[in-house]
Amino acid sequence: MSRKPKKGYYVKGVFVAEGSDRDLELKAELKGTWDSTRTDRKIESDALQDLGEALLGLRPKLLERLQLPEKLMDAFAEQKRLSNFEAKRRQMQFIGKLMRKLEDSQVQAAKAALEEQRTGVSLEQANILVAEQWRDRLIISDEPLTIWLEQFPQTDVQQLRTLMRQVRKDEATAKAKAAEAETKGHILPPAKKGSAYRDLFKVLLSHINGTANRPADDVFVDDSEDDAEDAE
């Protein structure tokens, strides 16, 4: 069975397939953007090769978690095995070529894994800390809300304001009960946080994680904070 011919054209007797690097170069030349396009592509290519080199030092568990293509993982193993300088240089170029085939999500995950190894804090943990800080700031005052909306304009403002008011109301009620008990010589245990407090955190975290507009079935919610509070 004959193979379906590729779409393309000939330039000086050489076939150029549509969508190939050469095709993009020629089209960029026609548009007068070749120099900038070539520079941008070179910068991006070098950055991905540098990222691939950095991944050679990533801890095995973190590297395994990325679930990178088998061919790239084999290339990493071969690079570590080689000792000849020129052979290692050529292998690194091959790794760079494979890195350019990764999806953007895989590249971002690789960068996050390297950052996690550098700081000891995972992206998920960092996002939780950021969400907690935003929650506390929004409970204290309405002023940070303007900054939040600049960063996350898709936020349901009415929902957020409702949760903020409810949290403040719950805290005021808890303080009033504690003060009343104190006048009677009693000391109440720390009041448990209400559902609005937890819901406010979850809403903020969903925006920080970029999952706010995804279907509920596709979103994983970490209830570890809820469990910790219920255990108190």
Side-chain angles (χ1 to χ4, degrees), residues 7-48:
K7 292 183 179 181
Y9 49 90
Y10 284 90
V11 176
K12 296 181 180 180
V14 179
F15 180 76
V16 178
E18 288 188 4
S20 65
D21 289 344
R22 182 56 178 159
D23 176 43
L24 296 176
E25 292 172 4
L26 290 171
K27 289 178 179 177
E29 287 180 0
L30 289 174
K31 293 179 181 178
T33 60
W34 165 234
D35 288 339
S36 60
T37 301
R38 179 173 56 181
T39 300
D40 292 343
R41 287 168 63 84
K42 181 66 166 60
I43 293 174
E44 181 181 359
S45 176
D46 289 346
L48 286 171

Side-chain angles (χ1 to χ4, degrees), residues 10-175:
Y10 284 90
V11 176
K12 296 181 180 180
V14 179
F15 180 76
V16 178
E18 288 188 4
S20 65
D21 289 344
R22 182 56 178 159
D23 176 43
L24 296 176
E25 292 172 4
L26 290 171
K27 289 178 179 177
E29 287 180 0
L30 289 174
K31 293 179 181 178
T33 60
W34 165 234
D35 288 339
S36 60
T37 301
R38 179 173 56 181
T39 300
D40 292 343
R41 287 168 63 84
K42 181 66 166 60
I43 293 174
E44 181 181 359
S45 176
D46 289 346
L48 286 171
Q49 183 167 318
D50 290 343
L51 178 61
E53 186 171 2
L55 289 176
L56 290 168
L58 193 63
R59 292 198 301 271
K61 285 187 177 181
L62 288 176
L63 185 61
E64 181 180 354
R65 192 177 71 189
L66 294 176
Q67 296 184 337
L68 296 173
E70 184 178 354
K71 195 171 184 179
L72 180 56
M73 294 295 289
D74 291 342
F76 285 153
E78 179 66 11
Q79 174 70 1
K80 293 178 179 180
R81 186 188 66 80
L82 294 172
S83 57
N84 179 270
F85 176 81
E86 181 59 23
K88 290 178 73 70
R89 186 187 68 81
R90 289 196 301 268
Q91 182 66 10
M92 200 63 245
Q93 289 179 332
F94 177 61
I95 288 175
K97 181 179 180 180
L98 295 177
M99 290 291 297
R100 291 193 289 275
K101 296 181 180 180
L102 295 180
E103 300 289 338
D104 288 343
S105 59
Q106 293 175 303
V107 173
Q108 294 305 317
K111 292 179 179 179
L114 287 167
E115 183 66 12
E116 178 178 344
Q117 177 166 280
R118 185 184 71 83
T119 62
V121 178
S122 69
L123 179 61
E124 291 79 9
Q125 291 173 319
N127 285 351
I128 288 173
L129 291 174
V130 172
E132 289 175 344
Q133 292 170 357
W134 270 110
R135 177 196 59 199
D136 295 343
R137 292 172 64 190
L138 290 170
I139 290 173
I140 294 172
S141 170
D142 285 346
E143 290 184 6
L145 184 58
T146 301
I147 301 174
W148 170 269
L149 293 175
E150 289 176 355
Q151 297 184 28
F152 304 99
Q154 301 302 319
T155 302
D156 185 334
V157 184
Q158 183 176 355
Q159 178 194 31
L160 202 60
R161 287 186 180 277
T162 299
L163 290 172
M164 289 162 58
R165 286 195 297 266
Q166 187 59 49
V167 172
R168 293 168 186 169
K169 182 178 179 181
D170 292 344
E171 291 193 348
T173 299
K175 289 180 180 178

